[in-house]
Amino acid sequence: KAGVTQTPRYLIKTRGQQVTLSCSPISGHRSVSWYQQTPGQGLQFLFEYFSETQRNKGNFPGRFSGRQFSNSRSEMNVSTLELGDSALYLCASSRSGSRTDTQYFGPGTRLTVL
Amino acid sequence: QKEVEQDPGPLSVPEGAIVSLNCTYSNSAFQYFMWYRQYSRKGPELLMYTYSSGNKEDGRFTAQVDKSSKYISLFIRDSQPSDSATYLCAIYNQGGKLIFGQGTELSVKP
């Protein structure tokens, strides 16, 4: 069974640009969550999508947005990039997103903002 | 106050040692507690999951929840170099968000 895949794995952008990251969940999983991981703040929840609807959202500015497609694949977009957006962006999928479901993480996209 | 706090370490132990990793959490209403392991350049993977209080054992790993102290622990017996990784505790908060501790970097020396 294929795991969660994320593309691209590495990305370098400059301040002010925007970026789109992609996540393909495990087949049959309908919930996709996104996290930001930095050395200073650790792993922080961004948002969760289920059946194309955002079901939960963390405390991030509106520059961070996402969407989910009918095949459960998800994209995350960050507009007007800032230096502080440099981080590892992880997505995780689970069957239904319930608290008893295991979340399976992808390898992440390493974003560097110059 | 952070909802979950974890000593970031790093922690270095000799092979075969018993490792104790700990987190504290803020809200006594939290019910779902997890430990994840993250190897370098990989995403986290679920190691242990505990609902409510008590102990749960899986091979060399034991997860413990003390709700009276709002304290969760992960014990690793007979630690191996392959256990070298970052260990993250996590809880589901009242809003249904998965909140992670800072992570403890563990190094097991042969």
Side-chain angles (χ1 to χ4, degrees):
Chain A
K1 195 174 188 181
V4 178
T5 56
Q6 291 186 245
T7 56
R9 290 294 310 277
Y10 301 91
L11 207 48
I12 299 175
K13 292 285 187 179
T14 55
R15 276 184 301 174
Q17 286 187 309
Q18 75 164 19
V19 67
T20 299
L21 312 181
S22 182
C23 173
S24 292
I26 291 172
S27 177
H29 286 191
R30 295 168 65 192
S31 168
V32 174
S33 297
W34 287 89
Y35 298 84
Q36 181 196 66
Q37 188 173 33
T38 59
Q41 299 298 317
L43 238 171
Q44 293 185 283
F45 173 77
L46 278 156
F47 28 66
E48 185 221 353
Y49 285 87
F50 179 80
S51 291
E52 302 177 68
T53 301
Q54 187 180 87
R55 196 158 64 172
N56 215 335
K57 189 175 188 304
N59 298 324
F60 279 82
R63 301 186 296 107
F64 292 82
S65 63
R67 59 178 176 167
Q68 187 181 34
F69 302 95
S70 57
N71 61 358
S72 294
R73 191 177 70 83
S74 178
E75 286 182 348
M76 191 194 109
N77 185 276
V78 188
S79 63
T80 320
L81 284 165
E82 300 177 0
L83 294 178
D85 297 333
S86 294
L88 181 67
Y89 289 89
L90 293 155
C91 85
S93 76
S94 67
R95 287 196 184 281
S96 67
S98 80
R99 300 177 193 203
T100 54
D101 266 356
T102 297
Q103 288 204 23
Y104 295 88
F105 282 81
T109 294
R110 172 76 61 186
L111 172 65
T112 302
V113 182
L114 303 175
Chain B
Q1 183 188 9
K2 286 188 175 181
E3 291 179 288
V4 59
E5 302 213 46
Q6 181 177 8
D7 183 347
L11 186 60
S12 182
V13 302
E15 184 176 352
I18 295 174
V19 176
S20 172
L21 303 166
N22 307 293
C23 291
T24 58
Y25 61 93
S26 62
N27 191 329
S28 56
F30 295 158
Q31 297 270 51
Y32 299 86
F33 308 95
M34 284 138 285
W35 284 95
Y36 281 81
R37 178 175 62 194
Q38 185 175 20
Y39 289 114
S40 181
R41 302 185 198 285
K42 302 269 189 183
E45 58 177 338
L46 182 65
L47 201 55
M48 301 285 282
Y49 171 90
T50 310
Y51 171 71
S52 193
S53 62
N55 291 3
K56 187 172 185 178
E57 192 173 315
D58 184 3
R60 297 184 294 111
F61 297 88
T62 300
Q64 194 172 77
V65 177
D66 181 346
K67 295 205 80 179
S68 61
S69 305
K70 291 185 280 186
Y71 202 77
I72 58 176
S73 303
L74 178 71
F75 299 97
I76 307 174
R77 290 185 300 282
D78 187 26
S79 55
Q80 303 294 309
S82 58
D83 295 328
S84 297
T86 296
Y87 290 80
L88 303 118
C89 60
I91 55 96
Y92 272 107
N93 71 1
Q94 296 294 86
K97 298 171 190 174
L98 190 58
I99 307 299
F100 286 85
Q102 190 72 4
T104 300
E105 189 180 343
L106 171 67
S107 177
V108 181
K109 305 290 187 187

